[in-house]
Each structure stands twice: as C-alpha cells, then as structure tokens.
Amino acid sequence: MAILDILNYPDPRLHTVAKPVKEVDASLRRLIDDMAETMYAAPGIGLAATQVNHHIQLLIIDISETKDQLQVFINPRILEKDGEQVYEEGCLSVPGIYDSVTRAEKVVVEAMNEKGETFKLEAHGLLSVCIQHEMDHLLGKVFVEYLSPLKRTRIKNKMLKQQRNRPM
Ligand code: QAP
Ligand code: CO
C-alpha cells in the first residue's frame, strides 16, 4: 500500500469531471487500497479519486469510530434525495477549513463495491452528507463553492499562502 498525494484547493485539477469506471480489476483494487491508507492516515472520513488525481468515478467512506467499516462506491448514482440538513463540513483538499453546507437529509444511492457487485443504499445524517460531498468531487466540485464568494476568496488566499510556505 502507499500514501497518495492529495490535491489542495484551489488546484484546477480538482475541477475535473470524473469518467465512469469500466472494469473493477486488480489495478482498481490497488487504487482503492492506496486511497484507504491515505484517508486513514490523514485522518479523514471520505476521499474521492479526484482528490488523488485519478479522474474516475470512485469514492471511499468510513464514518465508523473503529475505522474498520470501509465503504466503496464505484460509478455511484443518486436515485432519490429528500429533506434538508445543515452540516459543518471539512475536506482533506481544504485543510483547516470547516463551514456549514445545506444538503439533502436522505439520499438513495446505487453503486458498485470493490467486488464489482451493484448495491443500493439509503443514507441519512453524516453518511448522506459524506456521499453527497464526495460525489461532488467526482463532478469537479469542492464544498467551498457552496460558500459566499467573499468566504471562498478568503479561503483561496489562505490556501495559496500556506502552499507558498510549504512547497511541494
Ligand atoms: C468529507 O472530509 C466530509 O480540514 C470528508 O485539517 C467532512 O474527511 C463530509 C480533514 C465532514 C461530511 C462532513 C479535514 C482532515 C478531513 C481537515 C474529511 C483537516 C484534516 C476531512
Ligand atoms: Co472533500
């Protein structure tokens, strides 16, 4: 396994639209393993392939306390959305920034797991937020884009300043 580099906002590559996964094979499972190691090391509760510069429809989530309940979503589709909730979100691509975002309270998602099996899941609360946040990444969208233009500009400048002080 390997820890992958995470793209930091405002990297333009975060705005790439991900393509569907064609085949769930060994190389995809290897990427899933590396993404899981990267997410657990951060630590984070969700990571989209976009964030590690792989522009395919793949995301992973683990919201368990014990960090042993990895959920893999390949080619996810939202079938239903309902209600509203406000959650204080963060993102591994925007370290140190947290702000409230309004999203659906419930989502019903269809996706494939790491074995290539299709499953359907109804999610509420944090899991629902996390799925919507990570699926946004696959569309090239970062949560700060829901904030006001003023906040976004401040966040952008703060990130660029941090990146100057800590070069790649
Ligand atoms: C997305 O985010 C999410 O700023 C996953 O310094 C977040 O794992 C969905 C993290 C909240 C729903 C609610 C962020 C780690 C992790 C940071 C994450 C940081 C270190 C974020
Ligand atoms: Co994120």
Side-chain angles (χ1 to χ4, degrees):
M1 297 223 284
I3 294 192
L4 307 171
D5 287 329
I6 296 177
L7 300 179
N8 275 310
Y9 187 79
D11 192 309
R13 292 171 290 182
L14 285 170
H15 302 305
T16 311
V17 178
K19 294 196 163 68
V21 170
K22 285 194 183 136
E23 211 181 340
V24 181
D25 56 12
S27 77
L28 189 80
R29 279 188 286 270
R30 159 115 211 216
L31 175 61
I32 293 168
D33 281 353
D34 289 345
M35 283 175 59
E37 191 179 5
T38 305
M39 177 179 75
Y40 289 130
I45 58 170
L47 186 67
T50 308
Q51 292 176 274
V52 292
N53 204 26
H54 284 258
H55 302 289
I56 57 169
Q57 293 175 18
L58 163 66
L59 62 93
I60 60 170
I61 292 175
D62 189 342
I63 57 164
S64 70
E65 293 280 324
T66 43
K67 298 285 165 214
D68 58 358
Q69 306 283 313
L70 187 72
Q71 290 178 283
V72 176
F73 297 78
I74 298 164
N75 298 345
R77 286 196 303 137
I78 292 188
L79 305 178
E80 278 178 55
K81 275 192 191 199
D82 199 28
E84 245 186 36
Q85 63 180 328
V86 180
Y87 210 99
E88 187 88 357
E89 296 187 17
C91 180
L92 288 173
S93 293
V94 200
I97 304 291
Y98 302 87
D99 215 325
S100 299
V101 178
T102 304
R103 298 191 189 266
E105 197 284 321
K106 167 189 143 178
V107 290
V108 178
V109 193
E110 187 176 84
M112 273 188 297
N113 64 18
E114 67 284 359
K115 295 172 194 156
E117 303 160 343
T118 300
F119 65 93
K120 214 165 145 183
L121 172 75
E122 178 173 327
H124 298 262
L126 177 59
L127 181 58
S128 171
V129 173
C130 212
I131 290 169
Q132 294 173 73
H133 175 117
E134 302 309 334
M135 283 185 73
D136 270 352
H137 279 300
L138 303 183
L139 295 170
K141 189 156 182 178
V142 181
F143 86 100
V144 298
E145 289 166 52
Y146 291 104
L147 309 178
S148 70
L150 178 63
K151 277 187 177 173
R152 214 179 320 136
T153 301
R154 286 180 176 158
I155 291 166
K156 218 176 261 182
N157 289 332
K158 186 174 171 183
M159 292 296 117
L160 289 170
K161 198 169 159 186
Q162 273 177 17
Q163 286 160 36
R164 269 202 302 280
N165 295 337
R166 249 175 286 179
M168 317 208 212

